[in-house]
Each structure stands twice: as structure tokens, then as C-alpha cells.
Amino acid sequence: MRLQILGLCRFSYPSNLEAFQKDHADEAALRAYLYAEDRMEGRFYFFEELVVPTIRAQTDKDFRVVVLAGDQLPTHYRQRLEAAVAGCPQFDLRFEPEGQNHADLCRRLMVDARDQSADWVAEFRLDDDDAVALHFVATIRAMAPAVTALAAASPEERAALDFAMGFVLYAKRRELDILPVLARLWTPALVMVNRPDHPKSLLDTRHLRLWQRLPVISSVDQPMFIRGAHDDNDSSVEKRKLQKFRIDPFDIPVKIEDRFGLDLDRMETRWRLCPARKKLGC
């Protein structure tokens, strides 16, 4: 069986206004909000500290992540984004015309990126403030036989793999706070498996309702994601029904380093220096 593993990360893309939960008067107002200096400093902090290091350090290198950004992203931010992913061929930067329908654009990008010679495609998405464990891609590949068997037997020929154990990283005004969580069908580390010629992509079904339509394998063996939480979240983390898994708080930094290759002390030092800290902190 040949499995393609394909990710999507949206970096402050100004899509149609209806795609955002926060109201904006028009496209100009949306663009001004998204590209404001304080906000962009915060987005780059999470992208550079969470997304890039954990994607770059994946133990299995056979995957691709499409990074969606707007074609009117200011030049200095575009150059910074390009520099952040330089030397990591798994990243595929796409600067798309702004104002497009969000769902249609994401579907087109993912479908166009599929390898039609593959037997199955495993799709995942990361927000630009999320991280995945270093063995995320390798674990998807190891579990693929079980997930594809369910997909083949499903009427829609699709199935989901839900890594439901992880951490929430609360970026507060003074410090970072990280909590262990169990979250069913949350977007970070949620994987959709389908044939490469399937017309739908991972954003075409509401993730919290996947269990109503598709078979789902849920894995809670090891923490597989870190979800960033701050005042700039379009959807509030606090509204989710989250449970905690048991771990000694003093063991969390070691677990974060072992599973994600991240140094919380270094991240907190940089957060304290981030120009966006006082504005975006929870």
C-alpha cells in the first residue's frame, strides 16, 4: 500500500469574511486586522517556535505541508515566512489571491497536492500556532493499515484517525502555561484518510461531527499535539470540553522535550521578549 501524508497550515490568509468568527466590516478591515504588526509578531512567534521545529524534526520525512498565505502579505513578512521554512523541503508555500472562499480554496489546494498514484492519502491540518509530536508522521504510517481498512469499508470511503491526547499552551501576558488535555476530534493531530481521487478534503466535514458520518480510530497512548491558546484565537479554546490526563506537573517539561523536541524555558524567554505578549496574552 502506498500512503501519501499531506498537511495544510493556514498562515493569516484573508479569505472571505464569512470564514471568520470575528466580525470585520470589509476585506480591507480584515486585512488590516490580520496584518497588524503586533498580531503578526505573535503569529510568527508560534509558527517559528511550534510549527516549524516539530515539522522539521519529524522522524519520517516522507510527507508534505502546504502553507497557505495571502498574495498581499507585506513583503517583509513574506520574506520572514520564507526564511522560517528554508531548508525544510516538506513545506510548500502557496501565496494565493486573497478574498477567496475559504473552504473552496483549501479543498483545491489539498486535492491539487495529492499524488494520484498513491493508494490512500492521509490529510491533516495545523493552525499556525500548533505543534505535533516528532513521531506524528511515522505513527500515521504505522496505523495506516487499520485506518484504510475502515475507510475501504465505509460508504464514503473515508475514515479518521484522532490523536486525542496532547497539551494546551496558554500564552499569558506574563508567562507560558501548559496543561495536559484529552480532547475528542480536535483539529491538531486529527487525520482524515481517503482515496486520492475523493472529491472531498479534510475541511469539508465539521471535525467535531466526524463521528456521526465516518468511522474513527481514537488514540490516547501518548501526547501527540500542542495547541496554542491566546487572545487572538478565532475560536476560543476555553469553550471546548476538555479533560486532563494525569501527569506530574514537574514531568511536563521533560515530556515536551522528549515528545516534541521543544525547550519550554527557551520558549518562555522568547515569549517575554515578544512585542505581541501584552496584547495577545490570555
Side-chain angles (χ1 to χ4, degrees):
M1 179 184 67
R2 184 175 179 185
L3 177 73
Q4 181 190 19
I5 299 177
L6 182 63
L8 173 67
C9 180
R10 298 158 295 174
F11 188 84
S12 297
Y13 174 75
S15 58
N16 57 310
L17 298 177
E18 295 78 13
F20 290 85
Q21 296 186 27
K22 296 177 181 179
D23 292 331
H24 302 281
D26 51 31
E27 291 184 4
L30 173 61
R31 187 177 294 108
Y33 163 74
L34 291 178
Y35 294 159
E37 182 176 358
D38 282 347
R39 182 184 180 279
M40 291 300 291
E41 286 295 329
R43 304 319 291 197
F44 271 109
Y45 169 82
F46 291 105
F47 188 75
E48 294 168 348
E49 292 292 322
L50 291 177
V51 179
V52 173
T54 58
I55 290 298
R56 191 184 296 274
Q58 287 296 304
T59 58
D60 184 329
K61 306 294 186 182
D62 186 12
F63 70 100
R64 178 181 176 188
V65 177
V66 176
V67 179
L68 168 62
D71 64 344
Q72 297 184 51
L73 182 69
T75 301
H76 59 294
Y77 291 136
R78 178 168 180 153
Q79 292 173 343
R80 185 172 174 180
L81 186 60
E82 292 171 339
V85 304
C88 185
Q90 287 76 25
F91 284 110
D92 179 9
L93 290 181
R94 297 290 302 270
F95 296 95
E96 291 287 326
E98 298 178 1
Q100 298 184 63
N101 180 276
H102 178 261
D104 292 345
L105 174 58
C106 291
R107 184 188 311 111
R108 176 175 63 79
L109 288 176
M110 295 302 281
V111 171
D112 288 350
R114 289 176 183 169
D115 180 356
Q116 295 299 319
S117 68
D119 298 301
W120 295 93
V121 179
E123 298 181 344
F124 67 94
R125 60 169 155 165
L126 288 175
D127 286 342
D128 57 10
D129 51 8
D130 294 340
V132 287
L134 304 181
H135 294 84
F136 175 63
V137 172
T139 305
I140 294 173
R141 200 174 304 280
M143 298 184 69
V147 186
T148 56
L150 286 177
S154 168
E156 290 196 22
E157 286 196 292
R158 305 169 81 202
L161 175 56
D162 180 25
F163 294 105
M165 175 183 282
F167 295 94
V168 174
L169 180 71
Y170 288 96
K172 298 184 177 182
R173 286 177 173 82
R174 293 187 177 182
E175 60 186 4
L176 299 177
D177 189 16
I178 191 157
L179 298 177
V181 296
L182 294 172
R184 178 174 62 92
L185 294 171
W186 226 9
T187 51
L190 177 63
V191 184
M192 181 73 68
V193 175
N194 47 248
R195 299 285 188 184
D197 60 353
H198 200 287
K200 293 184 178 180
S201 186
L202 75 171
L203 267 68
D204 287 317
T205 304
R206 293 187 178 183
H207 57 94
L208 293 176
R209 297 182 181 178
L210 282 175
W211 64 273
Q212 298 175 348
R213 301 187 59 178
L214 305 174
V216 179
I217 293 179
S218 182
S219 174
V220 290
D221 295 335
Q222 288 288 340
M224 196 63 79
F225 66 83
I226 298 175
R227 177 84 185 251
H230 44 82
D231 279 353
D232 192 42
N233 285 117
D234 193 46
S235 57
S236 176
V237 172
E238 286 77 9
K239 293 180 180 179
R240 303 298 185 195
K241 294 182 179 180
L242 304 175
Q243 295 178 317
K244 294 182 180 181
F245 65 87
R246 291 185 178 182
I247 183 173
D248 188 321
F250 292 102
D251 292 338
I252 290 179
V254 175
K255 179 67 75 172
I256 293 296
E257 184 172 359
D258 289 347
R259 292 289 300 171
F260 300 89
L262 301 175
D263 184 336
L264 285 178
D265 287 339
R266 195 192 74 84
M267 290 176 61
E268 185 152 11
T269 298
R270 189 182 170 196
W271 176 243
R272 289 172 179 168
L273 298 174
C274 181
R277 175 174 59 87
K278 293 183 178 180
K279 185 174 182 179
L280 301 184
C282 298

